[in-house]
Amino acid sequence: MSASRNGVDVFLPATGRIFLDFIFTGAERVPMPGEEIYASGFSAMIGGAYNAARALHRLGVGVHIAADLGPDVPSQIVRTLWDRDRLPATFRRDVSHATAAITCSYSLEHDRAFLSYVDRQPSPICDPEVLSEHRVGHVLFTGIPPDDSFLPMMREARRLGIPIYMDSQYVERSVNDEDFRAMLDLVDVYFCNELEATMFTGEAEIDAACEVLSRLTRIAVIKLGPKGARMYGDGMRITQQAPDVAIVDTTGAGDCFVGGFVWARVCGEDPIGALRAGVAVGTLTCMGYGGDAAPNRERALTLIGELPPAMALT
């Protein structure tokens, strides 16, 4: 699979934070108040919305992410690491106020815990003209926008025939929210995990939640962690199993799953092929620290070829 180089292959509007992630591994539990625990592993990297962009970049996609960075120390570190990765900075704006976003991730054996801090979110780039001006091929929202600011851009993308992808992230939203439903109606592929699917729909069972989502958007993809992923919509009810691997850290794996899926679609793969790519990229990311463990194209293609076939759900 190879991506085109005509214009911007994938544009990521600033719907998510560009976090500076500090990831601790090897601790048995999160410390209690007044207690100190030592981790056996540590890494620092850019995370949040940047994870999907970095994954796409490593897979050979022309990806551009919008972000505002201030004069604060975390933002300065983010600039340095961003430039080291050689991701395009077309939509990176320098602002005069602090825009720090920091997460400490405690990666435990079967789960994670986070402690985060964020400064005020600047006004995002949401001008619909960006799409035609920069010849955008695909739009990826790395989180659900908090209001209707991006609806004009999404409607323009729909008018131009530009595919729209949206990853949910964990937010307090419901499918009864008018703005959320309007966004889902415009989205080509919507991603969430099991908890988000049941929370957003109010359904107790994941199958029922997926059916609700598939009626509100074109394709709903449910990320299942080590169990792989499911896809509903366009007459499909598909599951893709993930391989067993030695997991180091799951921070950012869901973001990189989305990056793998979008990469495959940019390269012309059908949704089932994209689901396989998402599972492969997400799995490989778990084998290192955070989103910085996202694989290159060769590693991803190798694992895709080793995955079991996708199966229809009965």
Side-chain angles (χ1 to χ4, degrees), residues 192-199 206 209 222-225 227:
C192 63
N193 60 32
E194 290 178 273
L195 174 61
E196 292 158 349
T198 54
M199 182 180 70
I206 186 63
I222 316 301
K223 296 175 284 186
L224 304 174
K227 295 181 289 185

Side-chain angles (χ1 to χ4, degrees), residues 23-248:
I23 300 174
F24 300 84
T25 61
E28 295 183 356
R29 55 186 171 82
V30 177
M32 300 292 290
E35 182 181 31
E36 182 177 22
I37 291 178
Y38 284 86
S40 60
F42 170 80
S43 187
M45 67 196 66
I46 315 178
Y50 190 86
N51 285 329
R54 178 173 46 214
L56 283 159
H57 180 69
R58 289 186 180 173
L59 292 164
V61 174
V63 58
H64 295 241
I65 181 170
D68 291 333
L69 298 180
D72 51 280
V73 171
S75 292
Q76 292 173 24
I77 297 172
V78 166
R79 280 191 194 87
T80 299
L81 297 177
W82 184 326
D83 292 340
R84 184 200 65 183
D85 287 338
R86 297 185 178 179
L87 256 73
T90 309
F91 300 99
R92 190 175 80 190
R93 302 185 299 192
D94 291 324
V95 297
S96 59
H97 60 274
T99 61
I102 304 167
T103 285
C104 291
S105 173
Y106 304 91
S107 188
L108 308 175
E109 184 177 358
H110 299 295
D111 208 343
R112 296 161 296 159
F114 301 100
L115 177 64
S116 300
Y117 169 82
V118 294
D119 281 322
R120 177 172 60 89
Q121 178 90 5
S123 298
I125 297 173
C126 51
D127 182 1
E129 295 302 316
V130 165
L131 303 177
S132 55
E133 180 182 347
H134 292 272
R135 292 178 294 161
V136 172
H138 300 251
V139 177
L140 168 58
F141 290 91
T142 54
I144 302 171
D147 52 37
D148 62 358
S149 300
F150 282 99
L151 277 174
M153 177 182 283
M154 296 175 74
R155 292 184 178 119
E156 178 66 3
R158 175 61 54 209
R159 187 187 72 82
L160 294 172
I162 299 171
I164 304 169
Y165 311 87
M166 182 180 289
D167 193 13
S168 64
Q169 304 297 340
Y170 185 88
V171 292
E172 296 291 338
R173 299 300 290 266
S174 164
V175 293
N176 296 320
D177 181 316
E178 185 177 341
D179 288 342
F180 188 25
R181 290 177 71 98
M183 287 183 243
L184 288 176
D185 185 57
L186 294 166
V187 166
D188 290 274
V189 184
Y190 173 70
F191 304 89
C192 63
N193 60 32
E194 290 178 273
L195 174 61
E196 292 158 349
T198 54
M199 182 180 70
F200 296 157
T201 62
E203 298 287 347
E205 300 295 330
I206 186 63
D207 284 334
C210 293
E211 292 294 346
V212 170
L213 290 172
S214 69
R215 293 194 296 269
L216 296 174
T217 193
R218 288 160 178 78
I219 294 176
V221 174
I222 316 301
K223 296 175 284 186
L224 304 174
K227 295 181 289 185
R230 292 183 181 183
M231 183 166 60
Y232 294 72
D234 280 354
M236 299 179 296
R237 297 177 75 252
I238 302 293
T239 183
Q240 176 62 59
Q241 180 183 347
D244 291 328
V245 296
I247 295 176
V248 173

Side-chain angles (χ1 to χ4, degrees), residues 259-274:
F261 188 103
V262 175
W263 161 57
R265 293 297 283 158
V266 170
C267 295
E269 291 291 318
D270 63 21
I272 296 176

Side-chain angles (χ1 to χ4, degrees), residues 249-253 256-257 280-295:
D249 174 38
T250 60
T251 306
C256 294
F257 171 102
V281 173
T283 297
L284 289 167
T285 303
C286 291
M287 298 174 70
Y289 284 98
D292 198 33

